[in-house]
Amino acid sequence: MQSKQIELPVTQRHELFLRSGHFAPELAGIPFKWRNRVIGQAMQKMSWSSWNKVYESIAVSYVREFAAQYVPAGVDLSQDDADIVATAERAAAGVVKMLWTATSSVHALQIMECECASYGIEMPEFEEQADVVARVIDARWWRRQLRKKVKRAFEAGNIRLGYVNYRGEPYASNDAVLSRLAQNRRNAAALAATLVQNENGQQFSIAELAEKTTANKAIRRGELMLRINGFEQIARECGDQGIFITWTCPSRFHATHHSGKSNQKYDGSTPREANAYLGKMTSLCRSALARRGIGLYGFRIAEPHHDGCPHWHLLLFVRPTATYKTTHLQDVAGRAIRIMKRYAWRVDRGEPGAFARRLDVKRIDWSKGSAAGYIAKYVAKNIDGVDTHKTKEGYVVTPEVEGEIELTPSARVESWAACWGIRQFQQWGGAPVTVWRELRRIKEDMLNEAPPVMRRAWDAVQKIDGEKRACWAEYLRAQGGALVPRKDLTITLAKDEKTVIGRYGETQRVTPYGVRCSQLIGVVFKSVRHTWTPVAATGAGVGVGVAVPRTRVNNCTHPVQPAPARPPAPPVPDLSDLDKTDVINAWAAVNACPHPRLIVPDNPHHEGNGT
C-alpha cells in the first residue's frame, strides 16, 4: 500500500527553502541583523508562486539585487572599527605589493583602479599620478574611506529594511549612534592627549583650544542665534517681510510611514540623495527669485524626519530690489511663496498630499513677537537638545538606553548628519561670517589709521563678557547691508597662497592673514595668528612607551642556522626610457623607488637625433 504524500503549505515551503543550506550562500554577505527581514521581504516576493522552480529563482534574484545595492563589494558590514583598521592596513599593503609589478604609468593606474574597486571605493582624482599613489598606499586614507563606506552602506540598509523610524530607532539607527559616540570618545581622548605650543611658549592641549571655538556646542548655538537676531534687526529696520518655510521631499524619498509600515513608493534613495534634491530645488528657486528682482536673506536648517529623510526649515526675509519686475504687486512675500511652491511641486506633482505637505509656509507677524522664536527650537534641538524633542509631525522622541549608554535625540540627529555628510546650518545672503571671525583676531592698535567704516565693523564683532555684546546687525550695516553682493563688500579677507608640506607631499594652501578695507587700498590689517607645534608628552600615564623583548627564548644555546636563500631578483622590465622616467617619478614623490631598479641613462637615446 502506497503511503499518501503529504505536501506542506506554500508558505512553509518558501521559508524552508530560504533557511536551507542550499540558500545559505546567498545570505552569506548579509549582516546577521538584516537576515530575518531580508527573508521576510523575499517571502513577500515569492508569495504568489507555488512552483519551486519559480519561487526559488525569485528569492535568489531579490537577495542578489539587495546585496548588490546595500552590501559593497569586498566589504564586510559586520566588522567593527578594529576590523576596519586591519582591513585598511591589508588594502594599503596590497596596493604597494601590486605596484611593484607595474610596468608603466598606465599599468599602475589600472592596478590602483582595480584595488579600489575591489573594496567598493572610488579612486582619488588628482592631476598628478604621484598624488594618487601617495593616497592609495596610505593605510590612513583607506581607513577613512572604509569607515565612510561601511557606515553609509549599513545605515542605508537599516533604512531600507525599516529599522529607522519613529516606532523603532528614530532619525538614525542605534548602530550609527553608537559608532558616532565611540568616534567622539576616541577623538576627545586624542585631542586631550595632544599638546601644542605656540611661538610665545604657551602650551595647551588641542581639546582646550577646541573649547574656545565653534566646536564647543554652546558657542556654536550662541553664534547662530546672534546672527539670526542680527538678520531680524535688519529686517525690522528695512521693513522686510518674513516667512518661515518647511520644505519636504516627495514620498519616494521616505522609506517608512509613522505606523512603522514600509512605504511602497520608496525608491531606495539615501538621505544624502534626498538632501541633494532639496539643494537643487532651492537653488533653482533662488535663481528664479533673483531674476524677478526679489532679494532674500536668512538661514536654513536641515534636520531628519523620523525615518532619516531630511527636510529643511527656512527663516527668510524678502524685499524688492531695484530690478523688481512686478512692481504692481506690493506683497513681495506672497510672490516669493508662489514661486517656491512652483518648485516644491515640480517633481511628482500628482501624488496625493503633495500640495498640502510638500511646502508649509507661515508668515511672520511682527506684532506677535520675535522671528527668531520660529527657528530657535530647531537650532537647539539639532545641537545640544531641548526638553521636548518633537518630530515634524508632532510625535515626541524620548531618550533611550543601549547598555550603559544613553542615546539622546540630539545625539541621534548629530550622528545622522555626520553619517551622511549633511550640513545642518547654512546662512543665505548677508556678509560672510569668515570676515566676522577674522576681524576678531585683529588687535585694536592696528586700527590707528583705519577708516571709520573699518573701526565700525571691528567694534561690532568685539565681545566683552558682562559689558558688551557683539552685534551682527551692526556688522552687516558696515559691510553694506543684508543683500550686499560679494564684489561690493566693504571689508574682505586678505589671503596668502603658500606651499605646505603635508602628509601627501607639497600642496598649495590659501590662508587668510588679515582683512582689507575698500576705502584704504593697498593696506592690510593683519590678524594675530599663532604658529602651533606639537609637544612631546612627558610624565606617567601620558605617552609611556613599553619595551618588549625581541624573542621569548635565549638564543645563546641554539645552533646558528644558515640564512634562507633569497629568491632570484625579478628581471628588469623592458620599457622605453619615457615609461621608466614616469614610473621613477611617481615612486620618488612618495619617497620610494621601484624594484626591480629601473635605470635611465643621462643622455637617453632619441630616434632621429643621429646618435
Side-chain angles (χ1 to χ4, degrees):
M1 180 176 179
Q2 289 184 342
S3 61
K4 186 177 180 181
Q5 185 177 2
I6 300 176
E7 186 175 349
L8 294 175
V10 177
T11 304
Q12 292 186 19
R13 281 187 282 152
H14 290 173
E15 186 170 1
L16 285 174
F17 169 71
L18 293 173
R19 298 188 182 278
S20 66
H22 179 69
F23 192 71
E26 303 295 338
L27 295 173
I30 306 295
F32 286 102
K33 178 182 178 180
W34 295 355
R35 291 189 181 181
N36 284 337
R37 296 202 179 186
V38 170
I39 289 175
Q41 292 188 1
M43 289 186 65
Q44 293 179 3
K45 299 288 185 180
M46 302 159 60
S47 61
W48 64 272
S49 175
S50 60
W51 190 19
N52 66 313
K53 291 186 178 180
V54 175
Y55 67 69
E56 289 180 4
S57 62
I58 292 175
V60 170
S61 299
Y62 171 76
V63 173
R64 287 179 179 177
E65 291 175 0
F66 180 88
Q69 184 174 0
Y70 296 103
V71 182
V75 177
D76 181 11
L77 294 184
S78 61
Q79 59 185 340
D80 57 15
D81 193 72
D83 296 328
I84 292 177
V85 173
T87 303
E89 296 285 349
R90 289 196 303 270
V95 174
V96 172
K97 183 177 180 180
M98 293 294 294
L99 282 179
W100 283 115
T101 65
T103 57
S104 66
S105 299
V106 175
H107 187 197
L109 186 64
Q110 292 173 348
I111 289 174
M112 292 184 290
E113 288 178 347
C114 291
E115 290 298 307
C116 290
S118 65
Y119 289 92
I121 292 175
E122 296 182 0
M123 195 175 71
E125 296 182 0
F126 292 93
E127 294 182 0
E128 298 294 334
Q129 190 176 23
D131 295 330
V132 179
V133 173
R135 284 160 177 80
V136 296
I137 65 173
D138 183 16
R140 289 168 292 190
W141 179 85
W142 279 97
R143 189 189 312 168
R144 292 192 300 271
Q145 302 304 315
L146 288 173
R147 280 173 175 167
K148 181 170 63 175
K149 189 70 176 181
V150 170
K151 184 181 297 184
R152 290 183 179 177
F154 197 73
E155 189 68 0
N158 284 332
I159 293 173
R160 178 66 178 84
L161 295 174
Y163 287 100
V164 181
N165 62 76
Y166 169 69
R167 300 183 182 277
E169 302 166 10
Y171 302 152
S173 66
N174 291 349
D175 307 281
V177 181
L178 292 173
S179 175
R180 180 62 177 175
L181 293 177
Q183 181 183 12
N184 289 341
R185 290 194 297 270
R186 293 195 304 269
N187 293 343
L191 295 180
T194 305
L195 295 177
V196 291
Q197 178 176 314
N198 61 19
E199 67 278 5
N200 298 326
Q202 298 172 318
Q203 291 188 7
F204 300 93
S205 68
I206 298 182
E208 293 174 331
L209 297 177
E211 283 297 309
K212 302 179 183 297
T213 68
T214 52
N216 185 327
K217 292 184 177 181
I219 295 177
R220 186 184 183 193
R221 185 184 67 250
E223 184 185 89
L224 284 171
M225 292 307 303
L226 174 71
R227 291 155 65 188
I228 292 171
N229 285 322
F231 275 136
E232 181 182 350
Q233 292 181 35
I234 294 293
R236 287 178 179 269
E237 292 175 3
C238 301
D240 299 337
Q241 297 173 309
I243 50 178
F244 183 74
I245 296 174
T246 301
W247 199 314
T248 308
C249 292
S251 177
R252 62 185 176 88
F253 290 99
H254 296 266
T256 312
H257 297 291
H258 264 284
S259 61
K261 295 182 179 180
S262 61
N263 178 19
Q264 299 301 320
K265 297 180 181 179
Y266 180 57
D267 63 357
S269 298
T270 64
R272 186 174 178 85
E273 294 169 343
N275 196 70
Y277 160 81
L278 291 174
K280 179 64 175 178
M281 290 298 105
T282 54
S283 176
L284 294 174
C285 179
R286 293 173 67 182
S287 298
L289 292 172
R291 288 193 301 269
R292 288 161 177 79
I294 299 176
L296 82 164
Y297 56 96
F299 266 87
R300 74 109 178 117
I301 297 178
E303 68 172 11
H305 282 282
H306 72 107
D307 60 351
C309 179
H311 60 277
W312 284 9
H313 297 293
L314 308 169
L315 176 62
L316 302 175
F317 305 99
V318 296
R319 76 167 72 147
T321 63
T323 59
Y324 185 52
K325 294 184 177 181
T326 53
T327 54
H328 61 284
L329 296 177
Q330 299 299 319
D331 186 8
V332 182
R335 179 62 173 161
I337 291 171
R338 285 194 295 272
I339 295 174
M340 290 181 182
K341 287 182 177 179
R342 183 185 307 166
Y343 285 94
W345 299 337
R346 186 174 184 176
V347 178
D348 299 336
R349 184 180 180 89
E351 70 177 13
F355 297 134
R357 302 173 185 173
R358 196 75 62 79
L359 198 75
D360 181 38
V361 181
K362 296 179 182 178
R363 288 176 177 255
I364 295 176
D365 188 352
W366 299 112
S367 63
K368 293 183 179 180
S370 169
Y374 285 83
I375 204 170
K377 67 176 182 179
Y378 298 106
V379 172
K381 70 187 280 190
N382 287 284
I383 295 182
D384 51 4
V386 291
D387 293 336
T388 57
H389 206 285
K390 294 183 179 180
T391 65
K392 177 179 177 294
E393 293 76 11
Y395 297 90
V396 177
V397 179
T398 57
E400 299 178 12
V401 177
E402 186 78 13
E404 298 180 354
I405 302 176
E406 183 182 19
L407 309 181
T408 61
S410 58
R412 289 186 176 277
V413 174
E414 195 268 340
S415 302
W416 167 83
C419 175
W420 297 110
I422 293 177
R423 183 179 180 182
Q424 292 179 271
F425 307 97
Q426 184 180 13
Q427 175 184 318
W428 284 8
V433 71
T434 51
V435 179
W436 161 280
R437 292 168 180 165
E438 194 68 17
L439 282 170
R440 286 187 165 180
R441 298 187 176 98
I442 297 176
K443 291 186 176 181
E444 188 173 7
D445 55 10
M446 289 289 297
L447 306 176
N448 295 332
E449 304 295 332
V453 67
M454 177 66 189
R455 167 71 70 168
R456 182 183 181 185
W458 181 87
D459 187 65
V461 306
Q462 302 307 313
K463 173 187 175 182
I464 303 176
D465 292 334
E467 299 182 17
K468 178 182 177 298
R469 297 182 60 186
C471 182
W472 180 261
E474 182 65 15
Y475 166 71
L476 291 178
R477 297 186 195 104
Q479 285 280 44
L483 296 179
V484 57
R486 289 291 189 264
K487 61 184 179 63
D488 296 332
L489 287 172
T490 305
I491 302 170
T492 56
L493 286 179
K495 301 178 182 179
D496 185 23
E497 184 174 356
K498 59 178 67 175
T499 301
V500 179
I501 300 177
R503 180 179 298 170
Y504 303 117
E506 294 184 353
T507 57
Q508 297 295 322
R509 181 176 299 175
V510 178
T511 57
Y513 65 97
V515 298
R516 303 178 188 271
C517 182
S518 61
Q519 297 183 4
L520 198 61
I521 300 175
V523 176
V524 174
F525 299 90
K526 290 187 177 182
S527 56
V528 177
R529 289 183 175 272
H530 297 290
T531 302
W532 299 95
T533 55
V535 178
T538 58
V542 180
V544 178
V546 179
V548 295
R550 291 181 297 173
T551 180
R552 297 182 181 180
V553 298
N554 186 350
N555 290 328
C556 296
T557 59
H558 285 241
V560 178
Q561 299 292 336
R566 293 186 178 182
V572 177
D574 185 15
L575 303 176
S576 66
D577 293 335
L578 181 60
D579 288 337
K580 288 182 179 180
T581 303
D582 291 340
V583 175
I584 291 173
N585 290 340
W587 283 92
V590 294
N591 297 323
C593 63
H595 183 80
R597 189 175 302 278
L598 305 178
I599 306 300
V600 179
D602 295 334
N603 297 316
H605 172 74
H606 296 283
E607 294 182 2
N609 60 3
T611 60

